[in-house]
Amino acid sequence: MKILVVSDTHGEVDNLRKVLTKHPNMDLYLHAGDSELSPEELFPFITVKGNRDYLFDIQKEYIHPTPFGNLIMRHILQYSLNDLYDKNIKIVISGHTHKLDYRVHDGIYFINPGSLDYPRDGSLGSYAIITLESKQIQVKFYEVE
């Protein structure tokens, strides 16, 4: 399973279209919030509500089963580890900071793709591709070209 993850595009669509054109065959496209676009405008991305997505009725949390374990996505990284364990979460996706982040804690993978359009980490804008198998996860980050 291949998952493309973006976040914090704040109304911009050019880089979203570039990323879609470059990676047309993903199994799942995720946007970790602050798109400032309607879900219809974001298609095929599934999104969650960011702190700037106040114009649209968007879900605050998204959970998806994967071969590796359950994936959860929220805009702001606010979880209790007990809640993650109870839901058998293996992958946590967030946005909000506009900074790429990747770490593993007690077998749970925490991934923030950074911001596609307004990075605060010195990149040109970044996104992630996650490749999952039943016992393996691979996370790669890319800069917008």
Side-chain angles (χ1 to χ4, degrees):
M1 174 177 218
K2 286 188 165 254
I3 304 168
L4 189 142
V5 185
V6 301
S7 189
D8 296 281
T9 51
H10 293 280
E12 302 292 336
V13 295
D14 290 345
N15 284 335
L16 276 174
R17 300 300 167 236
K18 283 182 192 176
V19 168
L20 280 171
T21 299
K22 187 171 182 177
H23 305 284
N25 297 316
M26 299 286 115
D27 296 303
L28 189 60
Y29 293 90
L30 299 178
H31 193 298
D34 274 359
S35 72
E36 299 182 46
L37 299 170
S38 72
E40 294 78 23
E41 292 171 294
L42 273 176
F43 185 81
F45 287 91
I46 295 168
T47 191
V48 292
K49 189 176 198 79
N51 56 295
R52 301 286 303 225
D53 292 320
Y54 41 80
L55 295 177
F56 304 103
D57 185 23
I58 301 170
Q59 61 194 346
K60 290 183 179 183
E61 178 178 278
Y62 175 73
I63 297 176
H64 189 85
T66 77
F68 187 75
N70 288 337
L71 173 151
I72 192 168
M73 179 173 65
R74 284 189 200 158
H75 183 60
I76 297 174
L77 185 61
Q78 293 177 329
Y79 301 94
S80 81
L81 285 176
N82 286 337
D83 192 35
L84 296 176
Y85 298 140
D86 289 346
K87 294 178 180 176
N88 191 31
I89 302 296
K90 299 294 183 190
I91 304 160
V92 176
I93 294 177
S94 64
H96 188 60
T97 64
H98 295 231
K99 295 178 181 179
L100 183 151
D101 189 30
Y102 175 55
R103 52 198 146 111
V104 182
H105 177 76
D106 203 19
I108 300 173
Y109 292 75
F110 293 84
I111 302 163
N112 184 326
S115 173
L116 200 58
D117 290 284
Y118 298 100
R120 296 178 185 153
D121 57 7
S123 75
L124 299 174
S126 59
Y127 60 99
I129 293 181
I130 305 168
T131 304
L132 301 171
E133 296 176 13
S134 61
K135 297 186 190 237
Q136 189 175 13
I137 181 172
Q138 179 185 51
V139 180
K140 288 187 178 181
F141 295 93
Y142 299 87
E143 284 193 352
V144 177
E145 296 176 2

